[in-house]
Short mmCIF file of all heavy atoms in Angstrom, two decimals:
data_model
loop_
_atom_site.label_atom_id
_atom_site.label_comp_id
_atom_site.label_asym_id
_atom_site.label_seq_id
_atom_site.Cartn_x
_atom_site.Cartn_y
_atom_site.Cartn_z
N ASP A 267 -19.26 222.94 -171.60
CA ASP A 267 -20.29 223.76 -172.24
C ASP A 267 -19.88 225.20 -172.44
O ASP A 267 -20.66 226.06 -172.68
CB ASP A 267 -21.60 223.73 -171.45
CG ASP A 267 -21.37 224.28 -170.00
OD1 ASP A 267 -20.21 224.45 -169.58
OD2 ASP A 267 -22.38 224.46 -169.31
N PRO A 279 -14.78 251.15 -179.73
CA PRO A 279 -14.58 252.58 -179.65
C PRO A 279 -14.14 252.95 -178.24
O PRO A 279 -14.54 252.26 -177.25
CB PRO A 279 -15.95 253.12 -180.03
CG PRO A 279 -16.93 252.02 -179.65
CD PRO A 279 -16.20 250.78 -179.93
N LEU A 280 -13.45 254.05 -178.13
CA LEU A 280 -12.96 254.52 -176.79
C LEU A 280 -14.10 255.15 -176.06
O LEU A 280 -14.96 255.78 -176.59
CB LEU A 280 -11.80 255.51 -176.95
CG LEU A 280 -10.55 255.00 -177.66
CD1 LEU A 280 -9.50 256.09 -177.69
CD2 LEU A 280 -10.00 253.75 -177.02
N THR A 288 -10.08 263.08 -162.05
CA THR A 288 -9.45 264.36 -162.26
C THR A 288 -7.94 264.36 -161.98
O THR A 288 -7.28 265.33 -162.21
CB THR A 288 -10.10 265.46 -161.43
OG1 THR A 288 -10.04 265.07 -160.05
CG2 THR A 288 -11.56 265.65 -161.86
N ALA A 303 1.52 271.00 -152.51
CA ALA A 303 1.93 272.28 -151.90
C ALA A 303 3.42 272.48 -152.14
O ALA A 303 3.85 273.65 -152.44
CB ALA A 303 1.64 272.23 -150.41
N TRP A 304 4.20 271.45 -152.04
CA TRP A 304 5.67 271.57 -152.36
C TRP A 304 5.86 271.99 -153.81
O TRP A 304 6.81 272.80 -154.11
CB TRP A 304 6.38 270.24 -152.05
CG TRP A 304 7.81 270.24 -152.62
CD1 TRP A 304 8.24 269.44 -153.61
CD2 TRP A 304 8.86 271.08 -152.24
NE1 TRP A 304 9.52 269.71 -153.85
CE2 TRP A 304 9.99 270.71 -153.06
CE3 TRP A 304 9.04 272.07 -151.28
CZ2 TRP A 304 11.21 271.27 -152.90
CZ3 TRP A 304 10.28 272.68 -151.16
CH2 TRP A 304 11.34 272.32 -151.98
N PRO A 341 8.59 268.16 -166.03
CA PRO A 341 7.73 266.94 -165.93
C PRO A 341 7.27 266.59 -164.55
O PRO A 341 6.23 265.90 -164.42
CB PRO A 341 8.74 265.87 -166.49
CG PRO A 341 9.63 266.64 -167.42
CD PRO A 341 9.87 267.94 -166.78
N ASP A 343 5.68 268.47 -162.67
CA ASP A 343 4.37 269.10 -162.46
C ASP A 343 3.25 268.27 -163.05
O ASP A 343 2.06 268.50 -162.81
CB ASP A 343 4.37 270.46 -163.18
CG ASP A 343 5.32 271.44 -162.47
OD1 ASP A 343 5.40 271.44 -161.26
OD2 ASP A 343 6.00 272.26 -163.21
N GLN A 350 -4.69 263.39 -167.86
CA GLN A 350 -5.54 264.47 -168.39
C GLN A 350 -5.16 264.93 -169.76
O GLN A 350 -5.89 265.76 -170.41
CB GLN A 350 -5.50 265.67 -167.42
CG GLN A 350 -5.96 265.37 -166.02
CD GLN A 350 -7.35 264.81 -165.92
OE1 GLN A 350 -8.29 265.48 -166.42
NE2 GLN A 350 -7.53 263.70 -165.35
N PRO A 388 13.04 259.88 -135.93
CA PRO A 388 12.87 259.81 -134.50
C PRO A 388 13.58 258.60 -133.87
O PRO A 388 14.09 258.68 -132.77
CB PRO A 388 11.31 259.59 -134.32
CG PRO A 388 10.71 260.26 -135.52
CD PRO A 388 11.72 260.00 -136.61
N ALA A 391 17.23 259.65 -133.52
CA ALA A 391 17.32 260.65 -132.46
C ALA A 391 17.18 260.00 -131.07
O ALA A 391 17.96 260.36 -130.12
CB ALA A 391 16.29 261.79 -132.67
N GLY A 400 21.60 257.51 -121.37
CA GLY A 400 20.81 256.38 -120.84
C GLY A 400 21.23 255.96 -119.48
O GLY A 400 20.46 255.40 -118.68
N ALA A 458 -21.92 234.28 -165.20
CA ALA A 458 -22.76 233.94 -166.37
C ALA A 458 -22.66 234.92 -167.44
O ALA A 458 -22.71 234.60 -168.63
CB ALA A 458 -24.21 233.82 -165.84
N ILE A 463 -17.24 242.40 -170.90
CA ILE A 463 -16.69 241.28 -171.59
C ILE A 463 -17.58 240.80 -172.74
O ILE A 463 -17.18 240.37 -173.82
CB ILE A 463 -16.48 240.08 -170.66
CG1 ILE A 463 -15.54 240.44 -169.48
CG2 ILE A 463 -16.02 238.78 -171.36
CD1 ILE A 463 -14.15 240.75 -169.96
N LEU A 504 -10.18 241.23 -147.51
CA LEU A 504 -10.48 239.82 -147.42
C LEU A 504 -11.98 239.55 -147.37
O LEU A 504 -12.46 238.44 -147.64
CB LEU A 504 -9.81 239.16 -146.26
CG LEU A 504 -8.27 238.87 -146.42
CD1 LEU A 504 -7.69 238.41 -145.07
CD2 LEU A 504 -8.00 237.93 -147.52
N PRO A 506 -15.70 239.46 -148.67
CA PRO A 506 -16.28 239.41 -150.02
C PRO A 506 -16.94 240.74 -150.39
O PRO A 506 -16.89 241.14 -151.59
CB PRO A 506 -17.26 238.26 -149.93
CG PRO A 506 -16.79 237.43 -148.78
CD PRO A 506 -16.18 238.39 -147.82
N VAL A 600 -5.78 230.65 -181.69
CA VAL A 600 -7.03 230.91 -182.45
C VAL A 600 -6.64 231.12 -183.89
O VAL A 600 -5.77 231.96 -184.20
CB VAL A 600 -7.75 232.12 -181.88
CG1 VAL A 600 -9.03 232.37 -182.72
CG2 VAL A 600 -8.10 231.89 -180.41
#
Side-chain angles (χ1 to χ4, degrees):
D267 59 350
L280 300 181
T288 57
W304 167 247
D343 295 319
Q350 300 303 304
I463 299 298
L504 284 173
V600 179

